[in-house]
């Protein structure tokens, strides 16, 4: 039996479903039941009927699936796959901001740990942050932990006072405007597409900005034939599937997230055999963190201005 067949058989036996982020290795994307961006995966985790979820992504993603599904077992093939940006928030700073502004909303990017979500009013992902922040009744917003996504949201919604936190994704921050311009000189017909976790000078060069899923949809539907892609290189697998005739350029070796790449097929098989490691969140934290996550799912599905939040 091949490793893939073994995994499929184990999934049937254990009533398990495999969820994978676009940044994990293509061998895992190829066998996953659902592949997507952070928002899509959070929605899928909430809706699948299976008893077990194998989450192929970094720890905050498995934690979120666990928070949204207390009755399911969430297996983490590589529990050492931590997103460094998720740790770049000082909890005392949240308390300080709350005491400074009375109408503050703490808006927490889903790339954060459960104990920080617990202290937040609403979660967002890169695909719904603009919609959710724009519709919040609060004027003062503390956007954590990603300073780059926060800056992008602040630029699009100048009517709000968006306070930034100095967190960043090292993968996206390593992409420079100079490297993009060098690549563009070689490929002048290419469009530049970027994730809003990129730095301002990179975002300013982009023809299109979006979450991983939005970037993939863009290259599938757009008329150009070549793209300089400013996000983690794992998206290439899906981009080549949806637009096989197009060309994609990446500007540097550092466009690889070492934590996402910790996932392997062997680890997926082993976690199903052992039904371990599992994502664990204490019941108290789970209850607190489920509020901003559920609020995100609700607000992202609404079309109009949201009612006043109880802060
Ligand atoms: P999205 O998949 O939501 O675009 O997020 C990118 C990311 O950095 C996940 O770690
Ligand atoms: Fe974290 Fe960046 Fe890796 Fe995403 S790509 S998991 S934000 S380090």
């Amino acid at each position: 039996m091949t490793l893939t067949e073994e995994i499929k058989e184990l999934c049937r036996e254990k009533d398990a479903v495999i969820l994978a982020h676009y940044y994990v290795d293509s061998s895992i994307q190829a066998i996953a039941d659902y592949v997507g961006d952070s928002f899509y995966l959070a929605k899928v985790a909430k809706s699948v009927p299976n008893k077990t979820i194998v989450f192929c992504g970094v720890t905050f993603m498995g934690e979120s699936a666990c928070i949204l599904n207390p009755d399911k077992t969430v297996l983490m093939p590589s529990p050492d796959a931590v997103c460094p940006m998720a740790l770049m928030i000082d909890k005392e700073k949240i308390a300080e901001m709350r005491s400074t502004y009375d109408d503050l909303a703490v808006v927490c990017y889903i790339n954060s740990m459960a104990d920080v979500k617990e202290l937040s009013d609403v979660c967002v992902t890169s695909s719904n942050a603009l919609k959710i922040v724009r519709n919040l009744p609060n004027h003062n917003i503390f956007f954590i932990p990603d300073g780059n996504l926060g800056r992008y949201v602040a630029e699009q919604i100048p009517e709000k006072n968006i306070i930034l936190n100095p967190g960043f994704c090292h993968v996206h921050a390593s992409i420079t405007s100079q490297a993009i311009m060098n690549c563009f000189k070689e490929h002048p017909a290419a469009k530049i597409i970027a994730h809003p976790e990129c730095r301002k000078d990179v975002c300013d060069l982009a023809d299109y900005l979006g979450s991983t899923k939005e970037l993939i949809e863009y290259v599938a539907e757009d008329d150009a034939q070549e793209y300089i892609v400013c996000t983690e290189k794992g998206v290439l697998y899906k981009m080549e599937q949806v637009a096989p005739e197009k060309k994609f350029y990446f500007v540097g070796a550092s466009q690889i997230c070492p934590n996402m790449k910790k996932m392997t097929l062997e680890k997926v098989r082993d976690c199903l055999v052992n039904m371990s490691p599992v994502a664990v969140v204490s019941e108290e934290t789970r209850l607190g963190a489920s509020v901003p996550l559920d609020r995100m799912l609700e607000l992202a599905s609404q079309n109009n201005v949201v009612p006043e939040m109880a802060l």
Side-chain angles (χ1 to χ4, degrees), residues 21 23 37-38 60-61 109 111 126 195 197 211-212 260:
H21 190 269
Y23 294 166
D37 68 0
S38 308
F60 74 79
M61 296 181 169
Y109 190 25
N111 296 35
S126 50
H195 194 282
E197 283 179 20
S211 76
T212 49
M260 287 285 192

Side-chain angles (χ1 to χ4, degrees), residues 134 139 151-162:
R134 191 171 275 128
H139 176 65
R151 185 214 67 252
Y152 167 68
V153 171
E155 284 169 358
Q156 304 302 310
I157 312 177
E159 63 276 19
K160 297 215 184 242
N161 177 34
I162 299 183

Side-chain angles (χ1 to χ4, degrees), residues 153-199:
V153 171
E155 284 169 358
Q156 304 302 310
I157 312 177
E159 63 276 19
K160 297 215 184 242
N161 177 34
I162 299 183
I163 303 143
L164 303 179
N165 176 70
F168 62 93
C169 162
H170 68 99
V171 179
H172 289 89
S174 74
I175 303 169
T176 64
S177 49
Q178 187 58 56
I180 294 169
M181 290 318 295
N182 291 344
C183 185
F184 188 66
K185 270 185 212 142
E186 283 176 42
H187 307 285
K191 275 193 179 167
I192 300 165
I193 59 171
H195 194 282
E197 283 179 20
C198 288
R199 296 174 349 178

Side-chain angles (χ1 to χ4, degrees), residues 10 33 46 76 98 142 177 212 238 260 269 285:
L10 282 161
D33 298 289
K46 181 107 181 163
M76 295 294 304
R98 286 213 188 273
F142 185 31
S177 49
T212 49
K238 195 56 82 183
M260 287 285 192
R269 187 256 331 264
T285 300

Side-chain angles (χ1 to χ4, degrees), residues 235-254:
V235 295
L236 180 62
Y237 177 67
K238 195 56 82 183
M239 285 182 173
E240 285 184 333
Q241 282 180 347
V242 298
E245 72 294 353
K246 296 190 179 182
K247 290 196 177 122
F248 305 102
Y249 310 113
F250 291 80
V251 297
S254 52

Side-chain angles (χ1 to χ4, degrees), residues 280-287:
V280 187
V281 181
S282 76
E283 187 56 9
E284 194 189 340
T285 300
R286 193 194 72 72
L287 287 173

Side-chain angles (χ1 to χ4, degrees), residues 12 50 64 70 88 93 95 150 182 194 207 224 227 229-230 259-260 278 311:
R12 273 191 292 275
N50 310 68
S64 298
M88 292 181 190
K93 191 81 187 159
N182 291 344
D207 295 293
Y227 300 87
V229 183
C230 305
N259 283 291
M260 287 285 192
V278 290
L311 296 178

